[in-house]
Amino acid sequence: MQTLIIEDVKYKTRLNKKFLTRKPYQPANPKEINSFIPGTIGNVYTKKGKKVKAGEKLLELEAMKMVNTIFAEFDAVILDIMVKPGDLVSKNQLLLKFK
């Protein structure tokens, strides 16, 4: 038996192997944009070192016959762009970093 604490309440339970080997949760870094689905990079509307405003188009990710436009969530400076048009990206691949 092991003790599991959820919202300050202690539970005694047997934890299965799947639970013990799970990947720990890591909150998303707001200064990085990762691919949320595998696909192909369409257009890249920004460049390294550019100041972008919230709501500005950054790039397009084509997946499952749809074009997903990724916008800046806040005002920032582009630190680095890891992809170029035509690149194939996997899920959770780093696409862009903010300063």
Side-chain angles (χ1 to χ4, degrees):
M1 297 292 264
Q2 293 180 317
T3 302
L4 183 65
I5 300 171
I6 299 175
E7 295 181 2
D8 298 327
V9 178
K10 286 184 179 180
Y11 299 93
K12 291 211 178 249
T13 185
R14 292 188 187 112
L15 303 177
N16 63 18
K17 186 177 178 180
K18 183 178 179 182
F19 181 83
L20 293 172
T21 59
R22 75 188 187 288
K23 185 178 176 183
Y25 172 75
Q26 292 183 336
N29 183 350
K31 292 189 173 189
E32 294 180 351
I33 294 181
N34 296 317
S35 171
F36 56 92
I37 190 169
T40 305
I41 298 299
N43 293 318
V44 176
Y45 298 106
T46 190
K47 58 185 174 183
K48 187 176 175 179
K50 183 180 177 187
K51 290 182 183 178
V52 294
K53 296 200 178 272
E56 190 172 327
K57 279 185 185 180
L58 299 176
L59 53 94
E60 290 178 343
L61 175 65
E62 299 173 11
M64 300 177 66
K65 299 181 182 178
M66 294 185 291
V67 177
N68 301 285
T69 305
I70 299 173
F71 298 95
E73 291 185 22
F74 47 85
D75 296 353
V77 176
I78 304 296
L79 180 65
D80 203 2
I81 301 172
M82 281 57 173
V83 292
K84 60 184 182 304
D87 282 357
L88 297 175
V89 296
S90 59
K91 184 177 179 183
N92 294 327
Q93 182 174 338
L94 181 60
L95 304 176
L96 192 143
K97 279 185 180 180
F98 295 110
K99 204 175 229 181

